[in-house]
């Protein structure tokens, strides 16, 4: 047993750095290479009694190191492939978000949303007020024309338009600045 241990210690000292250098050439990580060398030498020590007497011990240990390096590199390759695939999926998803955002037109969203609020607000007004507002804003009729058509005074038309614009200003206060509301509703 003492002879074997002395032989193993001498073998370890003689070959450790060469084996670490060999493994590091492939795995590019000295700590990993050192671990593989120590594990391979321990594997040899644990299995030395099962090996034929004429076994080339350095070749046996180096073969074990070789297989550990191959397993390590294959594992790295799988991780890299998965990482590449995730990167491709992320790049595709990111590209989709960019295209979607480039195509997004906020004024269209707000225009539709504002129009919906205007329609709901107008629908909530009394029939006469709603009718006068639509004639003024959508049909471009003057106050005088509306008054003549509805057989009422111009002041009455102005009252109904003022009432509807007041309701619309309240309904749209969160969507448009006051200056735009004035322009949009007047």
């Amino acid at each position: 047993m003492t002879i074997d241990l002395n032989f193993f210690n001498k073998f370890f000292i003689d070959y450790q750095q060469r084996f670490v250098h060999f493994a590091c050439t492939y795995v590019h990580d000295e700590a990993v290479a050192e671990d593989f060398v120590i594990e391979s030498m321990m594997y040899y020590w644990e299995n030395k009694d099962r090996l034929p007497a004429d076994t080339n011990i350095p070749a046996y240990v180096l073969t074990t190191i070789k297989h550990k390096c191959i397993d390590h590199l294959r594992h790295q390759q799988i991780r890299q492939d998965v990482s590449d695939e995730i990167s491709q999926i992320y790049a595709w998803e990111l590209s989709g978000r960019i295209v979607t955002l480039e195509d997004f037109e906020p004024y269209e969203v707000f225009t539709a949303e504002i129009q919906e609020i205007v329609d709901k607000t107008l629908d909530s007004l009394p029939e006469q007020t709603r009718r006068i507002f639509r004639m003024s804003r959508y049909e471009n009729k003057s106050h005088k024309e509306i008054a003549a058509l509805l057989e009422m005074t111009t002041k009455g038309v102005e009252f109904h338009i003022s009432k509807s614009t007041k309701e619309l200003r309240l309904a749209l206060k969160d969507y448009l600045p006051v200056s735009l509301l004035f322009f949009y509703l007047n």
Side-chain angles (χ1 to χ4, degrees):
M1 178 76 168
T2 307
I3 295 172
D4 284 346
L5 193 54
N6 286 337
F7 169 78
F8 182 76
N9 285 337
K10 181 170 177 10
F11 170 71
F12 186 86
I13 291 167
D14 290 347
Y15 285 93
Q16 180 191 16
Q17 283 308 311
R18 288 189 243 175
F19 288 163
V20 168
H21 178 71
F22 169 80
C24 201
T25 301
Y26 294 99
V27 298
H28 296 184
D29 185 331
E30 193 162 346
V32 171
E34 287 174 358
D35 287 347
F36 289 170
V37 169
I38 290 170
E39 289 170 9
S40 298
M41 287 192 171
M42 287 175 53
Y43 182 77
Y44 157 73
W45 182 255
E46 292 168 356
N47 293 293
K48 69 182 181 341
D49 295 334
R50 294 186 200 127
L51 299 175
D54 63 343
T55 298
N56 181 337
I57 298 168
Y60 178 85
V61 173
L62 193 58
T63 301
T64 306
I65 293 169
K66 169 189 155 186
H67 289 292
K68 287 185 175 292
C69 289
I70 289 171
D71 290 346
H72 177 78
L73 294 173
R74 284 184 178 148
H75 181 71
Q76 278 188 318
Q77 173 116 42
I78 289 168
R79 285 179 51 209
Q80 185 62 49
D81 291 347
V82 169
S83 178
D84 291 348
E85 190 171 324
I86 289 170
S87 291
Q88 286 177 342
I89 290 169
Y90 179 75
W92 176 79
E93 190 265 340
L94 183 61
S95 176
R97 285 190 284 158
I98 289 169
V99 167
T100 302
L101 192 54
E102 287 174 341
D103 291 343
F104 176 72
E105 296 297 340
Y107 70 87
E108 290 177 5
V109 171
F110 283 117
T111 301
E113 199 170 320
I114 288 169
Q115 189 59 53
E116 185 178 329
I117 291 169
V118 167
D119 291 342
K120 283 182 181 178
T121 304
L122 290 177
D123 288 344
S124 72
L125 296 174
E127 175 66 33
Q128 183 77 345
T129 304
R130 179 175 53 241
R131 184 172 177 207
I132 292 170
F133 180 83
R134 286 193 171 139
M135 290 173 84
S136 170
R137 297 302 189 266
Y138 297 151
E139 298 172 20
N140 294 319
K141 295 193 185 307
S142 69
H143 293 185
K144 198 174 195 179
E145 290 174 311
I146 298 169
L149 284 170
L150 299 178
E151 299 175 352
M152 62 187 311
T153 65
T154 308
K155 287 286 185 199
V157 170
E158 288 172 5
F159 167 79
H160 287 287
I161 290 174
S162 176
K163 183 177 178 179
S164 54
T165 55
K166 181 181 176 185
E167 290 296 320
L168 288 167
R169 277 189 195 110
L170 285 172
L172 295 170
K173 71 180 180 347
D174 295 332
Y175 291 87
L176 298 173
V178 174
S179 59
L180 285 178
L181 272 174
F182 182 75
F183 177 76
Y184 187 72
L185 298 174
N186 287 323

